[in-house]
Amino acid sequence: MSSPEVEKFEVTDYDLENEFNPHRFRQSKNQAIYGIWAVDDSDDDGNKAHFRDTKKQKKSYTAPVSFISGGFKKGSKLPPGEEGREEGANDNESDQEELDFAAAGFPLDFGRKKRKEKSSRGMAGYRGQGNPDEDKFGGWEKYTRGIGAKLLQKMGHVKGKGLGKNLQGISAPVTAKKRDGRAAVGAYGSERTEQSLKDFPVVDSEEEEEKEFRQQLQRWKREPGGGKKKTKYVYRTADEVIAKGEKKKYTAKSELANVKVIDMTSREQRVLSGYHAISHRHDKPESDSEEDTAPTATYEQKRAFDMPELMHNLNLLVDMAKEEIIQNDRKLRYERDMVINMTHEKERMAEICEQEEKHISRLQQVLDLVERCEARTVEGCEDPLTLDECADKFRCLQDEYYEEYKMYDLAGLAVGMVFPLMKKYFANWKPLKQSTYGIQTMKQWKDILEDPNRHFNQAAGEMDPYQRLIWEVWMPYLRTAISNWSVRDCDPLIELLENWMPVLPPWVMENIKVQLIMPKLTTEVDKWNPTQDTMPIHGWLHPWLPLMGAKLYPLYAPIRHKLANALKNWHPSDPSAKMILQPWKNVFSQGHWEGFMVKNIVPKLTVCMQEFVINPHQQHLDGWNWVMDWLDMVPIQAIIHLLEKFFFPKWLQVLFSWLNVNPNYDEITKWYTGWKTMFSEDLLANTVIKEQFNRALDNMNRAVSGHYQPGARENVAYLTHTERRREFEAQVAQDKRDYEAVREVSISTAVPTNFKDLIEKKAEENGILFVPVPNRTYEAKQVYKFGNMQIYFDRGVIFVQQSTTQWVPISLQNLLNRASDIVSKISGM
C-alpha cells in the first residue's frame, strides 16, 4: 500500500504526452482534490487560480496597495499596440486555460463552455447595475456544488433577511458599479450603488453645515405665523445648589487642573482641558446641559452669533458660584458644630472650674487650720498646742477633709507638729520603771497616723509618719534604758516589751530583739561561770524564751559546753547538778539533751553502779537512789543498759548464793518483792527487766522443788502466779492504752471524704444510730435510718420523711437536734 503522503516518480502517459511542454508541473494533493477551486498559496493578486505556481510566498505588507482596474475612460482610446497586446494576452490566457484544464483531467471543451458562459453572463457573481431579482439570487451556483449557500444555511441565514446574529446586516448581495473610465477612485463621482446608499446613508457634513448656517442667518426675521421666542431661564435656590452639590463633588483646582491632556484611547483624538475631564469621558451626559462642567469631544454645530468664549466664562462663573455656595455651606455647618462643641466644652470647663474653686476653698480651709496649729507650736506662745488638741485637729482633717488628707499626705505634718510635742512628753520617761507610761497616747496616734497599706521596706527606708514617730522619738529613750540595763534583772524589760508589743510595729520589735537584747545576752552568757555564780543561768535567761524563742539558739551551745566542763569533777551524790540541768531538758532539743546526758551524766552513774554493793542482811541504798534520781532525765535505754550490765549480774549472784544455803524462802520472797518495788513502771514494762526477774523466779522455783520446807513451795508458786498475772494485766492495760491512743489519733485526724461520711461521723459523735434500710430506696437513692427517722440525701441535701409520700429537706444541725430530742424523750419515759 502506498501512502498518500509519498509522491510517485514513475513515468505516466501524461508525462509522454507533455514531454515537450515547457509549462508542465506536478499538481499537489489539494489541487487534485479541488481542481480550480483549490486554494492557491500565492499572494499575487494579478493572477487568478491556476496550477502554475506551486511555491508558497509570504504576503508582503510593505508593498504598495494595488487597485483593481475599473475599465477605460469613456471616449478615450488606448495607445497604439495596446489593444492588440491586450487581445493577445487574452488569447494566450485562453490557450493557457485549456492546457490547465487538460492537465487537471477535465475535457478540453469544459474550458470553452466556461468562457462562453462568462462572455454571455459577465464576471461570476456580477449582478449588473440596480437591484437584482431575488429569484436570481445565487442562481449561478447551479453550475457549482453550492458550497456558499450551504455554508450560509448552516450558519443560520434565512433568504430575504439580514446577516448577523441579530439580523442587523445587509439582506441583499453586494452589487458592483462599473466605472466609466480608468481614472482613479472617485474621479467620476460617487461610486456607491443605490442599494449601498439605501443601506448605509451618509450625509455630506459640509453641505448640511452650509444649509444650517443659511437657516440661522434667516432667524433674525420674524416668521409669518409665530412671535418672538422667549428665553427660558432656570432659577435655583442656594438649598437646591447645595443639594445638587452633595451629589456631585467639586474638587479643588490644583496646579494640574489646567494641563492640556490629549486622549487617544478612543477612535478619534480628543483634547481635554485637564485631568479632571478624564473621569467624565465615558459618563452619560446629564439631562441638564448646564451641569456638564467637563468638556466633551462631540462636535457642536455652529450657530449664528455663537460666542463660545462668553458661554465658557459664564459657565465657569456659575460653577465657581456653586462651589462657593457649597463651601460656604460646609463652613457654616462646621462653624455650627464648633459652636456646639465649644458650648459643651464651656459647660465642662465651668464644672471643672467650679470643682476647682471648691477644692481651692477646702485647701484654703486646711491651710488655715494647719497654720493656726503651727502658730501654737512656736515657743513662747500664750496658748501652746497640746497633744490631745493636736490629735483632735488631725481627726478633723481625716473626717472633714479626707480626700485632701490622702491626696496631699497631710499625715506628714505630724513630723513637724507632733514630734516636738512627743519629745517633750517622753522627756522624763524612765522605761524600766514606768513600763505603761504613754501607751494610751501612742495608741491614739497609731490610729491617726498609721497607714495599714504601707509596709516598711528596710532597703528603701520607707516609713509612714507613725513608724517615724516610734523610731525617732520613742526608740532613743528605749536604747538609753537598755544600754544601762542589767541582764540578770530581766523582769522590768520583759514587762516593758510585753506592754508595748501591741503598739510597736513588728519590724521595730524585731530590731529591739536582735540589735539591743541579743548582744547583751550573748555578753552575759560569755561571762557566766556555772561553778562560781550563785544565780543559775536559767533564772535570768529562760524568761526570755516567750519573747525571743528561736533567737536564743546560738546561746545554747556555749551553755552546754560550760555545763560539761563543770560536770567533770561532779559526783552523783551532789544534787545541785540536777537542779541546774533539769530546767534545760525542755529547752534543748531532744537529740542535744540525750547526747549531753549520755556523755556527761551516764558515765558518772555507771561508776556509781559499779561501786554499789548488794547485801541482803545490811543493804545500803544510797548509790541506788543516786542513780534512780536521774531516771526522769537520763534516757531510759541508758538506765536499762546500766542495770542489765552492772546491777542484775550482782543481784542474781547474791540470790543464787542465798538459795544454795537452805534459806528461809519467806525472807527470799520478801527480798525479791522489795527489790521489784524499787523499779518504776516504765522499767518493769521493759522486756529486759522482765526477763531478769523471770530468771530469778525460775531459780527460786527450782530451788524450792528440791528441798522440802513446809509452805515454801506454795508461797513461791503463789508468788510466781501473782507475778505472771500482774504481768499479763499490765500488758493488757498497755495494749488498751495504745489502742485508745491510736483510735483517738485516727478519729481526730480522719477527714470525711464525702457527705455520707460526714453524716456518719456526726451520728457517731452524738451516739445516734445511722444504718441503711435494707431493700428501701426512694428515687433510686438509698434510704437510711437516722435514730428513729428515715432519711436519704441527694447532691449534698438531706431529705427526711414526714409522711408516707412526703420528703422535705432539712439541715444537718436540725436533723441532729431532732434526733437528740427524740432520744431524750425516749430515755425520760
Side-chain angles (χ1 to χ4, degrees):
M1 296 179 63
S2 62
S3 175
E5 300 295 335
V6 181
E7 295 185 0
K8 297 179 181 180
F9 296 96
E10 64 270 12
V11 180
T12 61
D13 295 337
Y14 178 77
D15 294 333
L16 295 175
E17 291 175 359
N18 297 280
E19 180 179 2
F20 300 101
N21 186 5
H23 299 288
R24 67 191 178 103
F25 67 97
R26 187 175 298 277
Q27 64 180 356
S28 65
K29 181 179 179 180
N30 194 22
Q31 292 170 347
I33 294 174
Y34 296 102
I36 63 173
W37 287 279
V39 178
D40 191 3
D41 295 333
S42 176
D43 293 331
D44 188 6
D45 296 335
N47 299 328
K48 58 185 178 180
H50 54 77
F51 307 111
R52 295 175 183 174
D53 193 4
T54 59
K55 297 181 180 179
K56 294 183 179 180
Q57 298 180 1
K58 294 184 179 180
K59 185 175 181 181
S60 177
Y61 294 97
T62 59
V65 180
S66 60
F67 296 93
I68 300 175
S69 177
F72 296 96
K73 185 177 181 181
K74 190 173 182 179
S76 62
K77 295 182 179 181
L78 293 174
E82 292 293 331
E83 184 176 358
R85 189 183 305 168
E86 184 178 1
E87 292 177 355
N90 292 334
D91 292 340
N92 294 333
E93 184 177 358
S94 61
D95 295 341
Q96 185 64 32
E97 287 181 358
E98 291 179 358
L99 293 175
D100 294 341
F101 285 121
F106 294 100
L108 296 176
D109 59 346
F110 181 81
R112 297 188 183 95
K113 291 180 181 180
K114 285 288 182 180
R115 285 194 298 275
K116 290 179 182 179
E117 292 176 3
K118 183 176 181 181
S119 63
S120 62
R121 294 186 289 107
M123 186 182 301
Y126 180 75
R127 298 291 180 263
Q129 296 181 359
N131 294 329
D133 190 4
E134 292 182 359
D135 296 337
K136 296 180 181 181
F137 174 71
W140 60 276
E141 287 189 346
K142 65 183 179 179
Y143 302 105
T144 64
R145 297 180 181 178
I147 187 66
K150 291 179 181 179
L151 291 174
L152 287 175
Q153 186 177 3
K154 287 182 179 180
M155 288 186 287
H157 174 68
V158 181
K159 187 176 180 180
K161 295 185 180 180
L163 299 177
K165 181 178 179 180
N166 299 321
L167 305 179
Q168 75 276 13
I170 61 176
S171 59
V174 179
T175 57
K177 182 178 180 181
K178 185 177 180 180
R179 195 178 300 139
D180 294 337
R182 300 182 63 180
V185 178
Y188 306 103
S190 176
E191 295 186 0
R192 299 187 61 181
T193 61
E194 295 180 359
Q195 182 67 24
S196 175
L197 293 173
K198 181 179 179 182
D199 293 339
F200 302 99
V202 177
V203 181
D204 191 353
S205 60
E206 294 182 358
E207 294 179 359
E208 291 295 332
E209 289 178 0
E210 186 67 22
K211 184 177 179 181
E212 185 179 357
F213 181 70
R214 290 177 181 177
Q215 290 178 358
Q216 290 177 357
L217 290 176
Q218 301 297 329
R219 285 185 180 179
W220 62 275
K221 295 181 180 181
R222 179 177 297 179
E223 296 180 358
K228 183 178 179 181
K229 293 183 178 180
K230 295 182 179 180
T231 304
K232 184 179 180 181
Y233 296 96
V234 179
Y235 297 96
R236 293 184 180 180
T237 62
D239 295 336
E240 293 177 352
V241 173
I242 293 170
K244 193 69 175 178
E246 292 178 353
K247 297 180 180 179
K248 190 169 183 180
K249 298 180 180 179
Y250 290 89
T251 58
K253 294 183 180 180
S254 62
E255 297 178 357
L256 301 177
N258 298 324
V259 176
K260 181 179 180 181
V261 179
I262 300 175
D263 184 9
M264 300 186 69
T265 59
S266 59
R267 183 173 57 184
E268 298 177 355
Q269 175 180 331
R270 299 170 58 198
V271 179
L272 306 179
S273 61
Y275 289 109
H276 65 277
I278 296 177
S279 60
H280 300 285
R281 60 189 181 91
H282 296 300
D283 293 346
K284 182 178 179 179
E286 297 181 1
S287 59
D288 193 353
S289 61
E290 293 179 3
E291 298 296 330
D292 189 9
T293 58
T296 62
T298 58
Y299 295 97
E300 298 180 356
Q301 297 178 355
K302 295 181 180 180
R303 294 177 294 179
F305 301 105
D306 190 9
M307 292 178 288
E309 295 83 0
L310 180 59
M311 294 302 297
H312 176 73
N313 294 335
L314 291 176
N315 290 332
L316 288 179
L317 292 175
V318 172
D319 293 342
M320 292 171 62
K322 291 180 181 179
E323 291 180 2
E324 187 176 359
I325 292 172
I326 293 171
Q327 290 179 0
N328 290 336
D329 178 69
R330 291 177 181 172
K331 290 181 180 180
L332 179 60
R333 286 185 292 178
Y334 174 76
E335 295 297 335
R336 288 175 179 173
D337 294 340
M338 286 296 296
V339 170
I340 295 174
N341 292 335
M342 295 302 294
T343 302
H344 292 304
E345 185 68 18
K346 180 181 178 182
E347 294 176 355
R348 189 178 69 85
M349 295 303 295
E351 294 178 358
I352 293 175
C353 292
E354 184 178 358
Q355 294 177 359
E356 293 295 331
E357 289 178 357
K358 293 181 180 179
H359 188 59
I360 293 172
S361 176
R362 292 173 62 87
L363 287 178
Q364 186 63 40
Q365 295 175 4
V366 171
L367 183 60
D368 295 340
L369 180 62
V370 172
E371 289 179 351
R372 288 196 298 269
C373 292
E374 287 182 350
R376 296 178 61 185
T377 58
V378 178
E379 294 183 0
C381 180
E382 297 179 357
D383 186 13
L385 187 66
T386 62
L387 279 175
D388 295 335
E389 293 177 349
C390 188
D392 295 337
K393 299 297 182 182
F394 273 90
R395 290 196 190 95
C396 178
L397 291 175
Q398 290 180 348
D399 296 338
E400 298 180 5
Y401 307 98
Y402 181 78
E403 294 181 0
E404 291 79 3
Y405 186 84
K406 292 295 183 182
M407 184 181 299
Y408 298 103
D409 194 15
L410 296 182
L413 296 173
V415 177
M417 297 173 59
V418 181
F419 284 20
L421 298 178
M422 277 291 184
K423 290 180 180 179
K424 293 181 181 179
Y425 181 76
F426 286 102
N428 299 321
W429 177 47
K430 297 179 180 180
L432 299 179
K433 294 182 180 180
Q434 301 172 348
S435 60
T436 59
Y437 179 79
I439 293 179
Q440 297 299 327
T441 303
M442 198 62 72
K443 285 182 179 179
Q444 181 181 11
W445 283 103
K446 180 181 180 181
D447 298 335
I448 297 173
L449 300 178
E450 188 178 27
D451 187 0
N453 298 323
R454 181 181 295 181
H455 301 283
F456 175 69
N457 187 356
Q458 187 174 3
E462 297 178 357
M463 293 186 291
D464 58 21
Y466 176 72
Q467 293 175 354
R468 291 187 60 184
L469 178 64
I470 294 293
W471 185 256
E472 297 179 5
V473 177
W474 185 82
M475 279 294 292
Y477 298 100
L478 183 66
R479 291 192 188 98
T480 304
I482 292 177
S483 63
N484 299 324
W485 165 63
S486 176
V487 177
R488 302 198 178 191
D489 187 12
C490 59
D491 293 336
L493 184 57
I494 294 174
E495 182 181 1
L496 174 68
L497 294 179
E498 288 178 351
N499 292 332
W500 281 86
M501 187 179 294
V503 181
L504 299 179
W507 66 271
V508 174
M509 180 61 71
E510 193 73 13
N511 180 269
I512 293 172
K513 295 176 182 178
V514 176
Q515 300 294 334
L516 300 179
I517 297 176
M518 274 300 295
K520 299 282 288 185
L521 293 178
T522 304
T523 305
E524 192 65 23
V525 168
D526 294 338
K527 295 179 181 180
W528 173 66
N529 187 354
T531 59
Q532 296 178 1
D533 288 342
T534 57
M535 184 177 183
I537 189 173
H538 61 268
W540 51 267
L541 187 61
H542 284 187
W544 289 105
L545 288 174
L547 286 175
M548 305 295 289
K551 293 181 175 60
L552 296 177
Y553 284 172
L555 303 179
Y556 296 160
I559 291 174
R560 287 194 296 268
H561 179 69
K562 290 188 176 185
L563 289 174
N565 292 332
L567 291 173
K568 288 181 180 180
N569 299 323
W570 169 75
H571 191 268
S573 61
D574 185 5
S576 61
K578 184 179 179 181
M579 295 175 58
I580 295 174
L581 294 177
Q582 190 172 9
W584 295 97
K585 180 180 179 180
N586 297 324
V587 176
F588 293 155
S589 63
Q590 184 177 359
H592 287 143
W593 174 256
E594 292 180 356
F596 182 83
M597 290 288 106
V598 170
K599 184 178 180 181
N600 299 285
I601 303 298
V602 172
K604 303 291 184 180
L605 299 180
T606 301
V607 174
C608 184
M609 190 56 64
Q610 289 176 353
E611 296 176 353
F612 181 66
V613 177
I614 300 175
N615 185 4
H617 302 288
Q618 190 178 1
Q619 184 67 51
H620 297 283
L621 298 176
D622 294 339
W624 174 264
N625 294 330
W626 296 340
V627 174
M628 290 297 111
D629 287 342
W630 290 90
L631 183 63
D632 57 341
M633 298 183 64
V634 177
I636 190 170
Q637 295 297 330
I639 298 294
I640 292 172
H641 177 71
L642 188 147
L643 294 175
E644 181 185 8
K645 190 174 181 181
F646 300 104
F647 172 75
F648 279 106
K650 294 189 289 184
W651 185 76
L652 291 175
Q653 185 178 2
V654 171
L655 178 62
F656 295 158
S657 301
W658 195 1
L659 291 173
N660 292 328
V661 294
N662 194 12
N664 186 355
Y665 288 97
D666 293 337
E667 294 180 0
I668 293 176
T669 303
K670 293 179 180 179
W671 182 77
Y672 172 85
T673 306
W675 274 109
K676 194 171 184 179
T677 56
M678 298 178 68
F679 285 80
S680 65
E681 293 183 0
D682 294 336
L683 291 175
L684 293 175
N686 189 267
T687 56
V688 175
I689 304 298
K690 289 180 180 179
E691 184 180 355
Q692 298 296 333
F693 280 107
N694 291 332
R695 184 178 175 185
L697 283 176
D698 294 337
N699 292 328
M700 291 169 63
N701 288 322
R702 285 195 298 269
V704 76
S705 61
H707 299 278
Y708 178 76
Q709 185 176 357
R713 182 179 300 177
E714 289 78 5
N715 292 337
V716 173
Y718 177 77
L719 178 63
T720 304
H721 177 72
T722 303
E723 292 294 328
R724 297 286 190 272
R725 182 173 54 81
R726 289 178 180 176
E727 221 175 276
F728 177 76
E729 291 177 355
Q731 184 65 33
V732 171
Q734 184 64 31
D735 294 342
K736 187 176 181 180
R737 287 194 298 269
D738 295 341
Y739 173 76
E740 292 294 336
V742 172
R743 185 173 179 274
E744 289 178 1
V745 171
S746 62
I747 291 175
S748 61
T749 57
V751 178
T753 57
N754 51 39
F755 193 59
K756 177 186 173 183
D757 294 342
L758 177 62
I759 297 175
E760 185 176 2
K761 182 179 178 181
K762 292 295 183 181
E764 184 179 358
E765 291 176 356
N766 292 273
I768 301 172
L769 179 64
F770 177 72
V771 292
V773 180
N775 301 325
R776 178 74 189 278
T777 59
Y778 183 79
E779 294 182 355
K781 304 294 188 300
Q782 177 65 46
V783 178
Y784 295 87
K785 186 176 181 181
F786 192 86
N788 290 333
M789 298 178 291
Q790 291 187 356
I791 64 170
Y792 80 92
F793 39 86
D794 183 14
R795 290 177 292 184
V797 180
I798 304 173
F799 294 87
V800 63
Q801 186 180 14
Q802 284 190 350
S803 62
T804 56
T805 59
Q806 186 178 8
W807 298 77
V808 295
I810 189 172
S811 65
L812 179 59
Q813 187 62 39
N814 291 336
L815 180 66
L816 293 172
N817 295 336
R818 185 180 297 184
S820 300
D821 293 342
I822 294 175
V823 171
S824 61
K825 288 180 182 179
I826 293 174
S827 61
M829 293 175 61

